[in-house]
Amino acid sequence: MSVSIHVQNVVKQYGQMTIIPGLSVDIENGEFFTLLGPSGCGKTTLLRMIAGFNSIEAGTISFGEQIINAIPAHKRNIGMVFQSYAIFPHLTVRKNVEYGLQFRDVPKAERAQRVDEILKTVRIEEYQDRLPERLSGGQQQRVALARAIVVHPSVLLMDEPLSNLDAKLRVEMRGAIRDIQKKVGITTVYVTHDQEEALCISDRIAVMREGVIQQMNVPQAIYARPANIFVATFIGHSNLFQATLSGQELRFSPGYAIDMGGQVRAGSDNTPVIAGVRPEEFLLAPPGRGLAARVVKTTFLGRYVNYELEFSDVSLLPDQASIEFSQDIGVARTVLRPGDTLSLEVNPEKINIFAEDSQSLMCEVAS
Ligand SMILES: Nc1ncnc2c1ncn2[C@@H]1O[C@H](COP(=O)(O)OP(=O)(O)O)[C@@H](O)[C@H]1O
Ligand SMILES: [Mg+2]
């Protein structure tokens, strides 16, 4: 039976170091929930606390109604999949999957039936008599996944399970994992540092930084309305402009301002703000309107062309890797070259405004 997970004010310390200073999250029964953040932000630490491999210094973790802080890992009924497949090289695929059931009180006939079913679900039944060395990385990871779910765990925990696979296989496997999770219907906590993977695989994402959840929402909302500048730049690319806000008027430069049409929360007068514009949210404008820019570099990406830009009459937040405009090839009339000039407008419905001091979002969240 799959269960909900409730993490309340949990604290993790290693010696004097506080890794997680007090984190809360409620994960629904059957949900595919992802912890996303840069390397070292505490994702594995939190996952291991849920699994029971790490101590909990304060707070509680519950499965359904039951607090599990004091329950040892092997009694939490958890399925785990790691980056390294951790399958036995000397056992066949079938024996590897069966292994999980060996320590459970499952009658022999039912055991065989369950293994058959799971092999089919993860689509490795035709390889069941092979040894792991004769499987691809993706197939080996399917074996690991099958072994984790054959025991009907209460929750499934996955820590960067696709990191060892090459790019094409990663894309294929993330689709497979999502399909299998939905089919089995098991509450899943998935850890990754790969934002694209998180966006496509998750029901909901928690974006973490230094042990603190920055934002928790469905993928679309996190991309469209990042809660702060960290999220806006960690997930996808955001071009950041230093602008000023007066009422609903967002001014980029002496010659260019837009009306936010009631989206901005705080009343203000000439308040310095940071405006975040995603590369695909610029609109080409007739010459002389909007913001003047020059193409510095062109990168052809198949469906898109990406232009690195230089602006002359706006101020940009310092230390940005690049300022980018991307154009959908399907609708682009002409492809620009380095040195070309262009005029760009921004779409007030898509733009995000962040307070300069707190760096947090100031727009109403219109979904
Ligand atoms: N056993 C440990 N002892 C001391 N520090 C640790 C230990 N495990 C992890 N850490 C520290 O905790 C922080 C978070 O690590 P981790 O949870 O592995 O990050 P992530 O999985 O997000 O990359 C890091 O700074 C790491 O160095
Ligand atoms: Mg980790």
Side-chain angles (χ1 to χ4, degrees):
M1 259 281 285
S2 179
V3 296
S4 56
I5 304 171
H6 307 278
V7 176
Q8 274 185 317
N9 301 318
V10 299
V11 174
K12 179 71 216 163
Q13 285 170 320
Y14 286 118
Q16 296 296 308
M17 289 261 289
T18 301
I19 304 298
I20 295 175
L23 182 149
S24 300
V25 49
D26 292 306
I27 301 168
E28 283 171 37
N29 190 356
E31 187 173 21
F32 199 121
F33 190 88
T34 296
L35 300 172
L36 170 67
S39 176
C41 73
K43 305 178 298 292
T44 295
T45 300
L46 179 60
L47 200 73
R48 288 174 57 88
M49 289 163 93
I50 297 172
F53 301 138
N54 272 352
S55 63
I56 302 170
E57 272 63 66
T60 60
I61 299 181
S62 314
F63 285 178
E65 305 276 291
Q66 189 189 17
I67 293 178
I68 55 155
N69 288 39
I71 298 178
H74 67 278
K75 293 202 172 140
R76 289 189 188 187
N77 194 27
I78 275 168
M80 279 205 86
V81 180
F82 305 94
Q83 179 176 343
S84 58
Y85 318 125
I87 52 180
F88 300 114
H90 61 288
L91 295 182
T92 63
V93 166
R94 188 176 183 92
K95 287 261 160 44
N96 259 288
V97 175
E98 221 169 32
Y99 181 84
L101 290 173
Q102 218 159 304
F103 306 102
R104 312 243 170 170
D105 219 1
V106 182
K108 206 164 177 205
E110 191 192 329
R111 200 183 287 183
Q113 185 215 327
R114 273 216 226 168
V115 173
D116 284 339
E117 188 185 298
I118 294 293
L119 288 172
K120 221 176 269 169
T121 304
V122 304
R123 294 190 309 176
I124 43 168
E125 47 184 333
E126 59 186 296
Y127 309 114
Q128 57 179 294
D129 297 320
R130 282 198 192 175
L131 288 173
E133 63 184 15
R134 293 192 51 227
L135 300 178
S136 71
Q139 290 162 343
Q140 291 188 44
Q141 202 52 302
R142 287 173 193 264
V143 177
L145 183 58
R147 196 179 61 189
I149 56 184
V150 74
V151 299
H152 295 175
S154 306
V155 305
L156 179 62
L157 307 179
M158 292 198 258
D159 194 351
E160 313 248 8
L162 305 182
S163 296
N164 277 349
L165 306 180
D166 64 50
K168 191 159 179 282
L169 211 53
R170 244 186 352 246
V171 169
E172 185 192 310
M173 275 301 288
R174 71 193 185 197
I177 287 179
R178 181 165 172 88
D179 291 348
I180 293 162
Q181 188 270 347
K182 285 288 162 248
K183 193 164 171 195
V184 180
I186 186 175
T187 313
T188 298
V189 187
Y190 187 95
V191 162
T192 183
H193 66 275
D194 182 330
Q195 40 118 356
E196 193 182 295
E197 193 173 298
L199 289 174
C200 77
I201 210 169
S202 317
D203 291 324
R204 229 159 27 118
I205 299 173
V207 184
M208 282 176 77
R209 179 194 200 183
E210 294 173 0
V212 179
I213 292 180
Q214 306 290 306
Q215 187 170 14
M216 197 155 36
N217 211 326
V218 298
Q220 295 84 340
I222 286 183
Y223 189 83
R225 293 297 182 211
N228 56 38
I229 288 179
F230 172 79
V231 178
T233 51
F234 184 71
I235 299 187
H237 186 88
S238 288
N239 302 300
L240 301 172
F241 294 89
Q242 288 178 318
T244 55
L245 187 66
S246 299
Q248 295 295 321
E249 187 199 76
L250 180 67
R251 181 162 293 282
F252 285 79
S253 70
Y256 183 58
I258 59 169
D259 181 0
M260 290 300 292
Q263 283 193 82
V264 184
R265 226 174 282 150
S268 54
D269 186 26
N270 228 18
T271 310
V273 293
I274 312 293
V277 184
R278 296 212 180 267
E280 69 277 19
E281 293 171 355
F282 283 119
L283 306 169
L284 270 177
R289 237 169 68 188
L291 296 166
R294 199 174 69 87
V295 176
V296 179
K297 192 175 156 190
T298 302
T299 312
F300 178 68
L301 294 165
R303 288 182 59 183
Y304 305 97
V305 206
N306 224 42
Y307 301 111
E308 225 177 286
L309 300 181
E310 229 171 46
F311 286 92
S312 46
D313 51 1
V314 290
S315 31
L316 296 161
L317 203 70
D319 301 324
Q320 297 182 66
S322 58
I323 302 299
E324 295 177 20
F325 163 46
S326 79
Q327 224 182 355
D328 195 331
I329 292 280
V331 297
R333 294 228 179 88
T334 50
V335 172
L336 300 161
R337 299 175 175 283
D340 285 354
T341 55
L342 65 162
S343 291
L344 293 170
E345 290 181 300
V346 301
N347 181 349
E349 283 169 24
K350 291 284 173 78
I351 200 167
N352 288 302
I353 302 177
F354 303 98
E356 197 185 41
D357 46 0
S358 68
Q359 303 209 332
S360 56
L361 188 69
M362 292 174 76
C363 316
E364 289 295 344
V365 177
S367 48

